[in-house]
Amino acid sequence: MSISSRMPARLSALAATAALLVAGLAGPAAASANESAAPAGAAAATVNLATNPGFEIPASSLADWGSVPGWHCYGGPAEASVTTAAPHSGASALAVTPAGDESTGKCAQTVSVQPGATYTASAWVRGKFVFLGATDGTDRPTAPAWTEDTHGDWQKLTTRFTAGPTATTVRLSVHGWYQQGPFAVDDVRVDGPAPAPATAAASVPTSDKVVFFTIDDGWQTSPEAERFITDHQLPITAFPLPMAAAADPGYFQRVTSTPGSSVQNHSVSHPDLTKLSPAEQQVEICDARDSLTRRFGTAPTVFRPPYFAWNADTLQAAANCGMRTVLTADADFSWGASNIWHEGTLSPGDVVLMHWSDTLAGDLQRALAAAEVAGLKPAGLTSYLR
């Protein structure tokens, strides 16, 4: 059977599925009718949790080539791009042209939510058979909002979902349908209560005789440092930039193979976050999370702000990207230094900063010696963070 001959069957199945969802789950029409009604008992302020909702934030030169900031478009730049042609509002919108008969042009993002909270998702769309939905974290299957044809105009899609009792994220997606042509998306919203801000810390409160080695950036991968980490079975916390990690992912997998080690978040392009808007901060943190999760299979939960520069917006943006802790340090052993930013020797719970560089093997040796003098052992960071 040819692809084109399967289209009517696909469209019939689509219509039947959508009708069942609307009948059983209060689909897009019902959601639109009740759009102004607040969820029962809701007291928390509602905010838009979508990342780069208006597609106004430009891609960093250090982001994945052709990426749409805040979004993962499955067909890549061959299908999805930002356009300035006739956006719904602002200066730009998302334009998607499915590249083949088997593509729906899907773009998605992970949204952090409060367990059990109810959210309203909406987007303005233009095209034929365009869908907006939330999955992977909702408490039950949720009807997608969709339109058969906007007839060349912008149309608002709206649906509601409730996060599962233990869910901290959901997957928001927009897509078209097979052989239905290009579509556009703008002004996406996920309105509801935000996660609590991340916790800022420079050390870890513990009476255990442990210290935590953290290593930033990743542009210089030292074989000598890898051997030292392996020979001493050091648990380390790596904070590589996504592009640096992509250049040699095997290296970072090897150096974090000791139990307790992990790869965590250090932003996309290493900016001073205090000079960015909250929305720009969220893109930097969420895009790094997504890239590292795809690369290493585990989502980071700790964020190291570049230059240790952060503000209240950083704590909320980090939480919106699933980070529980914004971590600096209280000792620096980078590039031959031995700086402890408190009196005396290293103390239990101290976080030691280092960098992936040609001096790292010596830096690790010096940091390990300082820990031993203080009667401390390196330990895995994430098991000590709540």
Side-chain angles (χ1 to χ4, degrees):
M1 181 183 292
S2 69
I3 290 174
S4 59
S5 66
R6 290 201 298 267
M7 291 305 110
R10 276 178 165 167
L11 291 173
S12 297
L14 165 66
T17 301
L20 287 172
L21 285 167
V22 171
L25 295 169
S32 296
N34 297 312
E35 193 169 330
S36 61
T46 60
V47 296
N48 183 11
L49 293 171
T51 302
N52 194 17
F55 306 97
E56 305 289 335
I57 298 174
S60 164
S61 61
L62 295 181
D64 293 338
W65 180 81
S67 67
V68 178
W71 295 84
H72 175 53
C73 295
Y74 289 67
E79 291 192 342
S81 62
V82 173
T83 179
T84 57
H88 174 257
S89 72
S92 55
L94 176 68
V96 182
T97 301
D101 293 337
E102 292 292 317
S103 174
T104 63
K106 183 177 181 180
C107 293
Q109 66 174 252
T110 299
V111 181
S112 293
V113 295
Q114 288 189 14
T118 297
Y119 295 83
T120 299
S122 63
W124 287 87
V125 302
R126 186 175 59 206
K128 293 182 178 180
F129 287 99
V130 189
F131 294 76
L132 169 73
T135 57
D136 301 341
T138 58
D139 68 338
R140 60 178 64 87
T142 301
W146 66 286
T147 180
E148 183 174 352
D149 193 345
T150 69
H151 302 288
D153 296 324
W154 286 98
Q155 179 180 329
K156 188 177 184 181
L157 301 180
T158 303
T159 188
R160 283 199 177 89
F161 65 88
T162 298
T166 61
T168 57
T169 63
V170 298
R171 193 71 170 161
L172 181 76
S173 64
V174 292
H175 64 85
W177 198 248
Y178 304 97
Q179 289 190 2
Q180 297 305 301
F183 64 92
V185 183
D186 203 0
D187 297 327
V188 180
R189 298 192 66 88
V190 180
D191 290 316
T199 300
S203 61
V204 179
T206 181
S207 58
D208 292 352
K209 293 185 177 300
V210 295
V211 67
F212 305 100
F213 289 174
T214 66
I215 312 174
D216 286 9
D217 295 352
W219 294 115
Q220 291 180 280
T221 53
S222 161
E224 295 79 12
E226 180 184 350
R227 284 195 295 271
F228 190 89
I229 291 168
T230 301
D231 291 347
H232 292 82
Q233 286 295 285
L234 287 179
I236 64 161
T237 304
F239 289 93
L241 301 174
M243 186 173 281
D248 192 353
Y251 179 89
F252 291 98
Q253 289 171 331
R254 294 192 301 273
V255 295
T256 57
S257 61
T258 298
S261 297
S262 65
V263 175
Q264 300 295 333
N265 192 332
H266 194 37
S267 80
V268 169
S269 63
H270 208 280
D272 179 343
L273 294 176
T274 63
K275 297 180 180 179
L276 302 183
S277 69
E280 290 169 324
Q281 291 196 39
Q282 187 162 321
V283 164
E284 280 283 340
I285 301 170
C286 283
D287 273 3
R289 171 205 62 193
D290 293 344
S291 180
L292 294 172
T293 301
R294 289 194 298 269
R295 188 76 57 189
F296 299 108
T298 302
T301 58
V302 184
F303 176 63
R304 164 65 57 73
Y307 313 109
F308 290 0
W310 60 272
N311 53 24
D313 291 335
T314 310
L315 300 182
Q316 189 59 63
N320 292 353
C321 298
M323 305 299 112
R324 295 194 293 268
T325 307
V326 172
L327 184 72
T328 56
D330 46 18
D332 182 6
F333 279 67
S334 303
W335 298 298
S338 298
N339 299 318
I340 301 173
W341 297 320
H342 59 69
E343 291 185 2
T345 60
L346 290 173
S347 300
D350 276 355
V351 174
V352 179
L353 170 69
M354 286 173 273
H355 287 79
W356 299 102
S357 69
D358 56 2
T359 68
L360 180 56
D363 298 339
L364 284 163
Q365 185 173 12
R366 205 167 52 261
L368 184 59
E372 291 172 346
V373 165
L376 307 173
K377 292 184 177 180
L381 177 68
T382 55
S383 62
Y384 277 83
L385 294 175
R386 300 293 182 264

